[in-house]
Amino acid sequence: MTEPIVQVSPAWAVLAPLALLLFALAGAGLNGALVARSAGRPVRSGAGAPFAQVARLLRQRRQVTVAADVLLWRIGAGGLLVVAILKILVIPLGPWTLADLDVGVVWFNTMDVMIWALFWLIGWGANSAHALVGGYRFLSLAVSYELPLMFALITPAVAARSLRVGDVVAAQHDLWFVIWMPVAFVIFCGSVIAFSSWGPFATGAGRDIAGGFLADVSGVDRLLILTGRYAVLAAGAAFAVPLFLGGGAGPLLPDWLWTIVKTALVLAAFVAIRHRVPTIRPDRFAEVAWIIVLPAALLQVLVVAIIAVGS
């Protein structure tokens, strides 16, 4: 049985960014290990690659382009990490949460919408063709990500009859939502990966456009963007736990430890997908998103709503 969610003192908020960065570092380490394994190099060297990359980017000079909009460029680079930190404010760690908002589910979705602007700002600020194409490419596909994600987030809220994350966790006392709303869970996971511009959805930073919004970014700015992408991925993995995986419910271990274990497993799956699924062409993805994914999300909400009303 899960413990009731309680709001802790705001003083604990100083630990939230640290925990998020640790998960982001773990994700980067796993990705480095998988890259090293596929290249035939020792896995240990790949797992330590993020530390070397951080040291290299901290020493590297910022690249300057002609007539760049530096302010917007910097906001886009640092904004991803800020948005990821704001996301985790409503995610309970076992029985504790920093902000037990009545509209916690909406808060998380609002932060996703801000990512639209941040990737576009990164592309716009550089004042170069490849970066701008990458930013617009992400922006053009964001609607295809956002609408299915919105309905995937609504589905557990409908079942719990509340937008409060604690109520969603409590509603899974008898059965985790991932069991009877698998379509919403899959769509949620896919959307988290897409909003991180990761793996099969990384077309905004594709090689065919010389790296897209990352083409002209170097030094600390590149470090912030790469860290921000991992942080957004980790925040999404953490939110899947209270939304679909029963929160901290589990045998033997305390609730807070189960939350960490489940988050780590979901994050590992997100990272591994990059090495298993090829990049999806933007035009193909938009067609699939509107014709298949969105109707499937609506059907899932309808089924859950009928069951919730009848129960």
Side-chain angles (χ1 to χ4, degrees):
M1 180 178 177
T2 55
E3 302 175 43
I5 306 296
V6 295
Q7 186 168 313
V8 298
S9 166
W12 288 98
V14 296
L15 297 179
L18 178 61
L20 185 64
L21 288 175
L22 287 175
F23 273 111
L25 181 61
L30 176 60
N31 182 61
L34 293 174
V35 170
R37 181 184 177 189
S38 63
R41 294 186 282 108
V43 172
R44 184 178 298 178
S45 67
F51 295 100
Q53 189 175 23
V54 168
R56 180 177 62 81
L57 291 176
L58 286 175
R59 295 195 308 271
Q60 190 179 59
R61 293 183 60 183
R62 280 172 163 161
Q63 186 169 332
V64 179
T65 56
V66 177
D69 195 327
V70 177
L71 177 59
L72 295 185
W73 208 4
R74 300 284 186 270
I75 291 174
L80 289 176
L81 190 54
V82 174
V83 164
I85 293 172
L86 292 175
K87 279 185 169 191
I88 64 172
L89 294 181
V90 297
I91 301 176
L93 174 62
W96 310 302
T97 184
L98 288 169
D100 190 20
L101 303 181
D102 292 335
V103 290
V105 175
V106 177
W107 172 270
F108 188 89
N109 193 210
T110 303
M111 297 302 109
D112 277 325
V113 175
M114 291 178 65
I115 295 176
W116 291 35
L118 293 174
F119 276 120
W120 180 80
L121 287 179
I122 297 170
W124 172 268
N127 191 34
S128 72
H130 290 119
L132 190 60
V133 170
Y136 271 114
R137 181 181 281 185
F138 180 88
L139 199 62
S140 66
L141 288 173
V143 176
S144 303
Y145 308 152
E146 180 57 38
L147 285 179
L149 172 62
M150 186 174 66
F151 289 109
L153 289 171
I154 287 174
T155 307
V158 168
R161 304 182 183 186
S162 173
L163 292 169
R164 182 173 164 268
V165 178
D167 292 338
V168 174
V169 175
Q172 299 176 70
H173 172 65
D174 296 322
L175 185 65
W176 293 3
F177 283 168
V178 68
I179 303 298
W180 64 291
M181 46 186 82
V183 174
F185 176 69
V186 171
I187 292 173
F188 172 80
C189 291
S191 298
V192 169
I193 297 170
F195 270 108
S196 304
S197 190
W198 180 260
F201 304 104
T203 53
R207 293 180 180 177
D208 59 322
I209 48 176
F213 54 72
L214 291 175
D216 300 293
V217 183
S218 60
V220 174
D221 293 332
R222 192 178 188 89
L223 176 61
L224 286 173
I225 294 172
L226 297 180
T227 304
R229 289 171 71 189
Y230 278 112
V232 171
L233 205 62
F239 201 54
V241 175
L243 217 58
F244 294 100
L245 301 176
L252 302 178
L253 301 177
D255 288 5
W256 64 270
L257 190 52
W258 267 118
T259 302
I260 292 175
V261 170
K262 292 176 184 177
T263 300
L265 291 175
V266 176
L267 178 60
F270 286 173
V271 173
I273 283 176
R274 180 184 186 183
H275 304 272
R276 296 293 180 183
V277 181
T279 301
I280 302 173
R281 278 176 41 187
D283 55 329
R284 293 279 180 84
F285 175 76
E287 185 177 352
V288 171
W290 286 97
I291 296 177
I292 299 176
V293 179
L294 184 57
L298 289 169
L299 184 60
Q300 175 77 94
V301 176
L302 178 62
V303 170
V304 170
I306 292 173
I307 294 174
V309 170
S311 61

